[in-house]
Amino acid sequence: MRNLGLVAGSCGGLEARFAAELARPAAGRGWRPAITLTPAAHRWLDATGALADVAACTDLPVRSVSRLPGEPRPHPDPSVFLFAPASANSVAKLALGIADNQALTVLGDVLGAPGITMVVAYQIQDTRVHHPAWQRHLDTLAGAGVTLHRLDVGRPWTEVLDLLPSAG
């Protein structure tokens, strides 16, 4: 079983779709999900009662905060990462190197590193794509070797799993 760094931000549908369409299907494809949530995503899943369903998709702890000095590392070091769903805010922070939470730290530490596969599947309002910095953020991530995918409303999130290499 191959480790998958599965990172999620707070986007519409998170509580109903993350476990059902990403974490559980990834495990079904042979991945061992090492799940890290942005603080807002953790709070959202906890408040809706969906956090337990997410935790049931992995044998590793679901992270949202950094560990304290001397605490053991709760996750292995995956060579494949999927950030889905990713908000426009998190995409911008990742492109700019802002690691102000554990989820962005995990991704920022490996962004552009040789041998690392990263897919960022973002959810964005149609009006946001006109922001003058948006395309530059996408270009920065693509230039670092990130595969980008827009999550469209009404389309299954599972389709981004096809962008990952085989777990075998």
Side-chain angles (χ1 to χ4, degrees), residues 60-150:
L60 297 168
V62 175
R63 298 186 73 186
S64 64
V65 296
S66 60
R67 62 189 173 91
L68 296 173
E71 286 183 337
R73 298 186 68 197
H75 286 173
D77 291 327
S79 61
V80 178
F81 290 84
L82 172 60
F83 186 11
S87 67
N89 185 52
S90 289
V91 168
K93 287 180 179 183
L94 182 60
L96 293 170
I98 300 171
D100 63 352
N101 62 58
Q102 183 60 35
L104 290 171
T105 297
V106 165
L107 296 170
D109 284 350
V110 298
L111 180 65
I116 299 294
T117 298
M118 187 180 296
V119 174
V120 173
Y122 58 91
Q123 197 174 64
I124 186 171
Q125 294 179 7
D126 289 337
T127 55
R128 181 61 77 111
V129 300
H130 303 293
H131 189 284
W134 178 248
Q135 190 58 52
R136 286 193 302 273
H137 296 321
L138 296 180
D139 292 346
T140 295
L141 294 175
V146 174
T147 299
L148 299 162
H149 178 84
R150 183 173 178 176

Side-chain angles (χ1 to χ4, degrees), residues 1-96:
M1 186 169 286
R2 196 164 168 198
N3 296 309
L4 171 65
L6 183 55
V7 179
S10 55
C11 294
L14 177 72
E15 71 283 356
R17 300 178 78 177
F18 182 72
E21 295 184 35
L22 291 176
R24 197 172 304 115
R29 292 183 183 201
W31 292 103
R32 181 184 188 207
I35 300 171
T36 305
L37 306 170
T38 64
H42 185 274
R43 194 167 156 239
W44 189 331
L45 290 172
D46 191 34
T48 60
L51 190 57
D53 194 28
V54 170
C57 298
T58 183
D59 64 333
L60 297 168
V62 175
R63 298 186 73 186
S64 64
V65 296
S66 60
R67 62 189 173 91
L68 296 173
E71 286 183 337
R73 298 186 68 197
H75 286 173
D77 291 327
S79 61
V80 178
F81 290 84
L82 172 60
F83 186 11
S87 67
N89 185 52
S90 289
V91 168
K93 287 180 179 183
L94 182 60
L96 293 170

